[in-house]
Amino acid sequence: MPSATPGNPTVAVIGNVDQLDAYLVACAAGRPEPALAGLQVAQAAWRERAGDGGMAAWEHAHRLGLPLVDTARVAAEPGLGKHFPDAAGRRLRATALRSAHGYLAVAVEPGSDEAIVSTLGFVANLPIAPMVASEHAGDEHGSPQDDLDEDQRIARQMGLEPGRAAQERSRHDSELASRWTMIRAMRETLSAAVRQRASDVHIRPGASDFELLFRIDGNMVPQRHIIPEVAALVINRIKVFAQLDIAEHRRPQDGRGTFKLDDGRSIGLRVSVVPSVLGESVVVRLLDTEESLKTIEQIQLSPADRAELDDQMARSHGFFLVTGPTGCGKSTTLYAMLQALRRQPINILTVEDPVEYTLAGIRQMEVNPRIDVTFSNALRSFLRHDPDVIMVGEIRDRETAGMAVESALTGHLVLSTLHTNTAATTVTRLLELGVEAYLLRAALTGIMAQRLVRLTCEHCRTPEEPAPAIRSALGVGPDEEFTTGRGCARCHGTGVFRRSAVYELMRITPAIRALIEPGVDADRMHAAALAGGMVPITEAALRMARQGRISLAEAYRVRAD
C-alpha cells in the first residue's frame, strides 16, 4: 500500500464491486499496490463519509496495512461457501465477499488480529485477498437455520436434548450457567450489541422459541431466534452475571454488572428480568460512555441557547429542570452539564436511581428505598456536606420537590428532571405536586424540555412523500420537499442512523415569573415564553426536517402540541 504523508495517514477504500474486481485482477497479476493507489482516503474524509461509528474500521485497516471495503456498497455474493465455509467465517468473524480471477476477497471485522488474517488462507481453498469490513459484511447472526443448528449444538454440548422438558434442569442451573460455552455466548451477544450501537438487548419469550432483539436508535431490530433450552441457559448466565437469584422465576428482578470488551473498554450493564406467561423476559441496558456520555458541545445547542445554558450553570443558586418522556435523553443532558461544572473548583453531589455513569471529582449516591435512602432523605443529608451543586435524578413526589426548591433557595444550584411534555407544563406540574407558588417563583430559573429524534441515514436517503395530514398539522406547504431513509445495511434496514436531541429552553423571565400562581394556565405561560424568544420543540424539529437531517414524519412524531 502506498505510504501516507506524515501527519495525514490514508487507507485504501474499496467502494464498489468494480473497484473490488480491479483489485482482484491486480492481486492475480502480483501487483496489488497500483490498484490501491487511487483509492486512498484520509482519516478526516472517511469520518465525514462514515461518521464516528466507522472510525474503528478505518483505524484497524490502517494498523494492519490492509484495504478497507465499504460493505454498505459491496455486498457478499452468494454461493461462496464452497470456497470459504460459513462455520469458519463465523468463528473467525470474517465474510467471503467475491471470488474472481482466481482470488477470494475476504473481509474481516474490526478488531481481528494478524493471527486471524493469517488463518484465512488455511481455511479457504483459493488464494486470499484480505481486507477490513467497514461494517459487518455478512448477516450479524447468520441464517435462521444456522442459528437453529448452532443452538442445538450448544444444547447438546451442555448435556441437554433439544425439545425435552426441563424439569430436572433447575438443580444444575448455576453450574451450567457458569460454563465457558454460555459465558462465550453471552460475550458474543453483548459485543455484537455494542458494535451495532445498541442501547438495550432484549430476550423476548414467544410461543415456541425466544427472540433476541437490539434497540438501535430507538428501533427494535430483530437479531435471531433462540431455542428454549439455550435461551434458559443464556438467561441464567445473565442472572449470575448480574448477581440475581437464578432459582427465582416468579418475581421481577433487577441487577447490574460491568462487561469488558476485547479492547479493554468497560460497559456498564443494568439487567431487568420480568416473568411472563411464556417465560422470562430480559432487558439489558448498555451504558457505553463512548456512545452515550456526551459533552455540552455534542448536544448541539443553538448559539443563543448555549449562552443561556452557560448562564444557568454560572449561577450560584437556582433550580433548573430538564423534562420530557422516558428515554428522551434527560440524564444525558444533565451529565453533560455536570461534566462542564466539574471543571470549576466547586463541590458537586448527586443522588440518582441508579447511578448510570461514574464521574471523577463528583460524589454520587444511589437511592435505596429498602433502607429508607430516598431522594428527599439524601437531599437532607447533602445539605450538611457543603455542596455548591446538587443533582437530583428525578422529582417524583411532593417531598422531593419541596426539598429541591428549598435547597435552591438556600444558596445551591439544583439540577433535576421531571416527566412533563413541555417547558410550560412543568410549572403547572410542580404546583400540582404541592410546591408553594411564592417559593417556586423565587427558586426556578430555567426549564429545558426535550425529545430524541432519529437522524435520517445518509447512505439510503430518498425523497419523502409525507401524508397530507402531516403537512397540514405542521403547516408545511405542498411544494416543500423532504427526505427519509429507505433502509440499508448501514442502518440495519431502519432508514435512521444515530439520534439527536431537539428541545425548547425556557428562561424564567420576570414576565413568566409573574404568571406562576396556583391554577395558572400552561398556554399563557407558553405564549409568554415564545414572546421571550423560546423556540418550541415542534418548530425546532420542523427546522431539522427542512435541513434534511430528519424526515417530516419524524418531526410530526415528536411534536409537542
Side-chain angles (χ1 to χ4, degrees):
M1 182 178 297
S3 59
T5 303
N8 185 32
T10 62
V11 165
V13 177
I14 298 172
N16 54 51
V17 174
D18 291 339
Q19 291 175 353
L20 179 57
D21 276 341
Y23 178 55
L24 294 180
V25 168
C27 288
R31 300 180 67 249
E33 291 80 6
L36 300 177
L39 304 179
Q40 300 295 321
V41 176
Q43 189 176 36
W46 178 253
R47 185 187 299 275
E48 182 177 349
R49 173 172 162 181
D52 292 340
M55 292 312 300
W58 190 97
E59 291 167 357
H60 195 63
H62 182 260
R63 185 163 56 250
L64 294 181
L66 294 176
L68 178 67
V69 59
D70 190 343
T71 46
R73 294 180 170 89
V74 180
E77 68 178 18
L80 295 180
K82 59 185 178 181
H83 300 303
F84 194 80
D86 292 338
R90 287 195 298 273
R91 186 175 68 253
L92 297 173
R93 293 165 60 187
T95 302
L97 295 178
R98 191 166 184 80
S99 170
H101 312 291
Y103 266 75
L104 183 67
V106 178
V108 298
E109 294 181 13
S112 303
D113 56 24
E114 292 87 345
I116 288 179
V117 175
S118 301
T119 303
L120 298 178
F122 295 98
V123 174
N125 60 11
L126 286 176
I128 290 292
M131 52 199 67
V132 175
S134 64
E135 54 190 74
H136 299 293
D139 188 355
E140 176 75 23
H141 42 79
S143 69
Q145 184 58 47
D146 288 340
D147 293 339
L148 179 60
D149 292 344
E150 178 70 6
D151 282 354
Q152 291 177 342
R153 183 191 65 78
I154 290 175
R156 292 190 179 97
Q157 186 175 342
M158 302 298 288
L160 301 172
E161 183 62 32
R164 278 177 51 185
Q167 296 93 337
E168 301 179 5
R169 193 172 65 238
S170 58
R171 66 188 179 92
H172 301 295
D173 278 347
S174 181
E175 177 188 352
L176 292 176
S178 300
R179 290 188 187 176
W180 170 244
T181 301
M182 299 323 302
I183 294 174
R184 185 178 61 186
M186 188 187 77
R187 286 187 59 85
E188 289 177 352
T189 297
L190 296 178
S191 296
V194 173
R195 286 196 300 270
Q196 296 186 48
R197 301 177 300 101
S199 60
D200 301 87
V201 175
H202 290 246
I203 300 177
R204 193 163 64 187
S208 59
D209 57 18
F210 285 67
E211 188 175 14
L212 176 68
L213 307 98
F214 294 165
R215 185 177 288 279
I216 304 173
D217 296 329
N219 293 315
M220 296 289 283
V221 181
Q223 300 296 306
R224 59 166 294 183
H225 289 267
I226 312 173
I227 64 174
E229 288 79 10
V230 170
L233 296 175
V234 172
I235 291 172
N236 280 336
R237 178 59 207 168
I238 291 174
K239 284 182 176 181
V240 170
F241 182 80
Q243 298 183 342
L244 302 179
D245 183 358
I246 64 171
E248 178 58 69
H249 303 285
R250 299 169 299 171
R251 294 185 302 176
Q253 298 187 78
D254 295 310
R256 64 191 320 175
T258 302
F259 172 70
K260 184 163 286 189
L261 298 173
D262 292 338
D263 60 7
R265 182 156 51 102
S266 293
I267 306 295
L269 305 179
R270 283 165 49 190
V271 178
S272 176
V273 181
V274 175
S276 73
V277 294
L278 296 175
E280 288 184 297
S281 175
V282 178
V283 178
V284 181
R285 168 66 55 89
L286 305 176
L287 302 174
D288 184 358
T289 55
E290 288 192 7
E291 188 65 33
S292 301
L293 196 58
K294 307 294 184 184
T295 63
I296 291 290
E297 292 75 16
Q298 291 172 317
I299 295 179
Q300 298 180 338
L301 300 167
S302 70
D305 287 340
R306 173 61 192 272
E308 174 59 29
L309 197 63
D310 286 342
D311 180 68
Q312 293 284 341
M313 292 189 293
R315 296 173 182 265
S316 62
H317 64 278
F319 188 25
F320 183 84
L321 284 158
V322 182
T323 73
T326 300
C328 72
K330 299 186 295 296
S331 295
T332 299
T333 299
L334 284 185
Y335 273 108
M337 295 176 70
L338 290 176
Q339 290 188 87
L341 285 165
R342 68 175 176 172
R343 299 170 191 160
Q344 305 174 28
I346 57 177
N347 186 21
I348 304 174
L349 303 176
T350 77
V351 54
E352 307 170 56
D353 183 22
V355 173
E356 294 189 2
Y357 302 104
T358 303
L359 300 179
I362 297 177
R363 284 178 287 174
Q364 298 170 267
M365 179 179 180
E366 257 184 16
V367 301
N368 189 344
R370 288 179 294 182
I371 56 173
D372 201 31
V373 179
T374 63
F375 283 120
S376 56
N377 290 343
L379 271 173
R380 287 191 184 92
S381 300
F382 276 4
L383 295 179
R384 295 190 288 270
H385 275 252
D386 187 31
D388 296 293
V389 178
I390 300 173
M391 192 272 270
V392 182
E394 184 182 342
I395 302 294
R396 294 178 178 174
D397 51 46
R398 177 176 183 172
E399 190 175 13
T400 305
M403 283 296 303
V405 169
E406 289 180 20
S407 300
L409 290 173
T410 53
H412 307 90
L413 178 60
V414 179
L415 313 176
S416 191
T417 70
L418 192 65
H419 286 97
T420 56
N421 289 326
T422 65
T425 55
T426 302
V427 176
T428 60
R429 176 60 180 150
L430 288 169
L431 293 171
E432 289 171 358
L433 281 174
V435 179
E436 295 290 348
Y438 74 93
L439 294 176
L440 192 58
R441 281 197 300 270
L444 191 61
T445 57
I447 303 169
M448 177 186 282
Q450 68 179 58
R451 305 285 191 279
L452 283 181
V453 290
R454 298 171 292 199
L455 303 178
T456 300
C457 178
E458 297 286 347
H459 284 236
C460 60
R461 184 185 298 276
T462 189
E464 182 185 17
E465 297 181 5
I470 293 179
R471 287 184 179 271
S472 176
L474 296 177
V476 172
D479 57 334
E480 289 193 67
E481 297 180 352
F482 300 92
T483 60
T484 187
R486 65 176 179 273
C488 64
R490 180 175 184 262
C491 62
H492 308 285
T494 63
V496 295
F497 188 82
R498 296 193 181 279
R499 293 185 291 177
S500 181
V502 60
Y503 57 89
E504 59 186 25
L505 181 53
M506 183 173 82
R507 181 180 186 179
I508 306 302
T509 62
I512 294 175
R513 188 169 288 111
L515 293 174
I516 302 178
E517 294 286 353
V520 62
D521 182 39
D523 289 340
R524 288 183 60 199
M525 192 161 292
H526 184 73
L530 295 180
M534 183 186 79
V535 177
I537 285 178
T538 304
E539 184 178 329
L542 184 56
R543 182 181 301 170
M544 293 181 70
R546 286 178 169 139
Q547 294 170 347
R549 298 181 63 198
I550 64 174
S551 66
L552 190 64
E554 182 70 2
Y556 181 76
R557 184 183 70 86
V558 300
R559 73 195 186 284
D561 295 330

